[in-house]
Amino acid sequence: MANIKIALKGAAFLATSVVLVSCGGGPGAQGDSGDQAKYAACLRDQGLTVAERSDGLDIKADSPEKSNAAKSACKQYAPAGEEVSPEDKKQAMDTALQYVACMRKAGVDMPDPKQDPDGGVAVKLPDGMTEDTPVVQQAQKACKEQAPGNSE
């Protein structure tokens, strides 16, 4: 999977050939409605790739359907504060739009990003391209400053 991400207050943005967004709270953070460590473990059991970060989780899935099914199956562990503010949703989409525009200018004709109701933004590489495709690698270097996750 190609993997580009941005952490937002309460959300993380991932750009892959297929993408998903996650929740915040910090590793092992526990809220009224769940436990982030258990949530991450459950999502992994559902077949997702999950990395814990200081500002939340990076969650990667092969498809939005797989992601939604896993989140639904693990909702009892979801940390409190998974709700993303309208400002953070807008910031995630603005970042994705800037990144996609740069990638297009650099020769990778990416489709428009899509945002789910939870604030997650999916950015997809064109069919037939992966993170290992030379033109994608060159475009990612050219678009490093616009890249989601550049703040890491």
Side-chain angles (χ1 to χ4, degrees):
M1 278 186 262
N3 177 22
I4 304 159
K5 58 192 176 281
I6 186 170
L8 298 174
K9 195 166 76 179
F13 167 92
L14 299 176
T16 66
S17 46
V18 180
V19 181
L20 169 79
V21 173
S22 75
C23 62
Q30 193 165 346
D32 294 339
S33 66
D35 180 311
Q36 184 170 303
K38 287 182 183 177
Y39 187 55
C42 181
L43 292 173
R44 287 183 193 108
D45 289 345
Q46 296 294 315
L48 303 187
T49 302
V50 182
E52 295 184 60
R53 299 167 21 131
S54 62
D55 57 357
L57 299 175
D58 284 338
I59 305 170
K60 300 176 203 130
D62 295 333
S63 71
E65 295 79 18
K66 186 174 182 179
S67 162
N68 292 336
K71 286 177 79 175
S72 179
C74 299
K75 67 183 175 186
Q76 72 272 24
Y77 303 118
E82 188 169 344
E83 188 70 27
V84 179
S85 74
E87 295 81 17
D88 286 343
K89 288 179 185 179
K90 182 180 181 329
Q91 181 182 357
M93 183 55 105
D94 289 348
T95 299
L97 288 167
Q98 290 171 4
Y99 179 71
V100 167
C102 182
M103 292 291 285
R104 288 175 180 161
K105 186 176 176 183
V108 179
D109 189 23
M110 297 175 77
D112 290 338
K114 299 201 184 298
Q115 191 163 43
D116 68 33
D118 293 330
V121 178
V123 176
K124 203 176 168 184
L125 289 172
D127 290 339
M129 289 190 178
T130 69
E131 189 176 50
D132 296 326
T133 304
V135 69
V136 172
Q137 290 179 342
Q138 290 172 347
Q140 286 176 333
K141 286 179 186 174
C143 299
K144 185 176 181 179
E145 289 195 21
Q146 290 84 13
N150 189 33
S151 62
E152 281 187 46

